[in-house]
Structures are given as C-alpha cells and as structure tokens.
Amino acid sequence: MKLSSTAENIMTQITDKKTKLGDLRKIANVIKKDHELALELWSTKGYLARQLAILLMDKKLLSEEIIDGLVSDIEQHREDEKLQLIDWLMANQLAKDKRTIALMESWENSISPLQRRTFWYHQARLRWVGQTPPPNSEELLSKIETRIENEVSEVQWAMNFTAAQIGIFQESFRKRCINIGEQTGLYKDEMVAKNCTPNYLPKFIAIQLAKLNK
C-alpha cells in the first residue's frame, strides 16, 4: 500500500527506538479517530506503527473478519511485541464495544493461541478493573484446573493471571486459587526483578492482598 503524505509524516516521527507509548498516545490524541489512516499504518508491519494504528481504529468498523486478520498479522511479530500488540488491541478496541466483547468471549476454544489468551486475559481484567466479579468464577477455575498445564505458554500465563485475580477479589475461592499454584508448581522458580510481582499464585495473591490491605 502506497502511504499518504500524512502516514509518511507520522512514520518519520515514530521510527526512533526512543518512542514511548506516551508519545503514541499524544499523536493519537491530536488525530483522534481515523480508520483509513490506521489501516495505512498497520500495512507497514512496523511495531510502533501498529500500536498507533490500534489507537486510531474505529471499533464500529472492526468486523470479525478484520479482527481475525489483525490477530493473524500480530502472530508474525516476535514474542514480546506479539503479546503487547494483542493486549493493546484488547484494551483499546475489543473491550470497548458489546459486539467485540461478545466476540472475545467466543474465543475460549479458538485454534489461535492469541485469541485464547485474550479470552482469559479479558476474564481476568473484568475482575481487576474494580467492578463486581462476573458469576462464572467457579466455571473458570474448573477449566483452569484441568487445562492450564497442557496449554501453550502465552495462554497458560493468562489462565494463571485469571486465577490470581479470582483469588485476590473473591475470598471464597482464594484457597482454591492458591492450591492451583501449589499443585502445578507453575512459576514457582521464576526469577523476577525487584519490586515486580511473581506469577507463582501463592506469592502473587499474598503480595496483592497486602497491597490492598485485605
């Protein structure tokens, strides 16, 4: 796709490795919504360009077919970029419309690992954004207990994160969530940077509860 002068000008602003998410948000705040420009930027395959494109997309124009294409494109990125892009797409577009929320909720058994990850990360997000937890925690935990050890790493992390959020915000399930970590041993030996929360469920839940004074 031949880029418009607007897209070319933006690309000169975001090719520097020093470009931060805050810089992209500033550009997006000036442009507002521009779906055609977003698709131009997306076509460049650049990581920063695609992050900005997500901010500029019109959620009303994101059909299931288009979203499947975006996810497929994201899968071509390296691991760290891939996870950032899919989470960015969820938070800034998919989680903002009832239609795309319903689509995410249909991804539990998708053949795409990124779509399955998004299903689980969305379930976790429903809990830590501060609203009343949905009534499906029992069902989710049963699935986590039977599936988590056989999932691919990116989905496994999201399932673990969901169990953590359930354990933090729903005391009645807390012991069960801690037990998942103890039984599976997932992330038990993980080394984390100072001031970072470990993914091992017993530690994760304990640390977050201390922060919340629960």
Side-chain angles (χ1 to χ4, degrees), residues 114-130:
L114 286 185
Q115 288 185 341
R116 296 199 305 278
R117 172 192 167 90
T118 302
F119 167 84
W120 286 102
Y121 192 33
H122 172 64
Q123 292 298 321
R125 191 172 184 269
L126 289 175
R127 288 153 173 87
W128 61 258
V129 293

Side-chain angles (χ1 to χ4, degrees), residues 22-209:
D23 300 322
L24 299 180
R25 286 197 180 279
K26 288 178 182 178
I27 296 172
N29 286 338
V30 172
I31 299 171
K32 306 301 181 184
K33 189 183 300 179
D34 191 327
H35 197 72
E36 185 175 342
L37 176 59
L39 295 182
E40 283 191 87
L41 295 172
W42 190 268
S43 73
T44 67
K45 301 182 180 181
Y47 172 57
L48 293 173
R50 285 183 164 175
Q51 284 187 306
L52 178 56
I54 289 171
L55 296 177
L56 300 178
M57 289 174 180
D58 184 344
K59 61 181 181 291
K60 294 180 181 178
L61 299 178
L62 293 176
S63 65
E64 182 174 355
E65 181 180 3
I66 290 174
I67 292 170
D68 284 344
L70 296 177
V71 174
S72 179
D73 289 341
I74 290 172
E75 287 173 342
Q76 307 310 310
H77 284 259
R78 70 183 194 219
E79 190 71 11
D80 59 332
E81 294 181 352
K82 176 173 66 174
L83 300 182
Q84 176 65 40
L85 284 169
I86 194 65
D87 293 348
W88 194 247
L89 178 63
M90 181 202 72
N92 291 284
Q93 291 293 342
L94 304 183
K96 295 183 178 297
D97 187 271
K98 290 182 179 180
R99 177 180 55 83
T100 47
I101 287 173
L103 180 61
M104 285 194 292
E105 291 175 344
S106 74
W107 286 349
E108 179 184 352
N109 299 307
S110 170
I111 61 172
S112 163
L114 286 185
Q115 288 185 341
R116 296 199 305 278
R117 172 192 167 90
T118 302
F119 167 84
W120 286 102
Y121 192 33
H122 172 64
Q123 292 298 321
R125 191 172 184 269
L126 289 175
R127 288 153 173 87
W128 61 258
V129 293
Q131 62 192 47
T132 302
N136 63 341
S137 295
E138 170 76 39
E139 178 185 356
L140 293 178
L141 286 177
S142 293
K143 291 175 179 177
I144 290 170
E145 288 166 339
T146 58
R147 300 180 190 175
I148 190 168
E149 292 185 275
N150 296 317
E151 259 294 4
V152 296
S153 61
E154 59 263 43
V155 184
Q156 196 173 67
W157 176 86
M159 296 175 83
N160 189 79
F161 189 65
T162 299
Q165 300 311 310
I166 293 173
I168 292 164
F169 293 106
Q170 295 180 267
E171 186 176 0
S172 61
F173 293 114
R174 190 166 296 157
K175 184 176 181 180
R176 186 172 174 182
C177 293
I178 291 171
N179 188 59
I180 290 173
E182 292 174 340
Q183 291 295 316
T184 64
L186 285 172
Y187 310 109
K188 185 174 183 178
D189 299 320
E190 178 187 46
M191 301 295 292
V192 297
K194 186 177 181 180
N195 298 323
C196 289
T197 304
N199 286 304
Y200 180 52
L201 285 173
K203 291 183 179 179
F204 190 126
I205 293 170
I207 289 170
Q208 293 305 313
L209 286 175

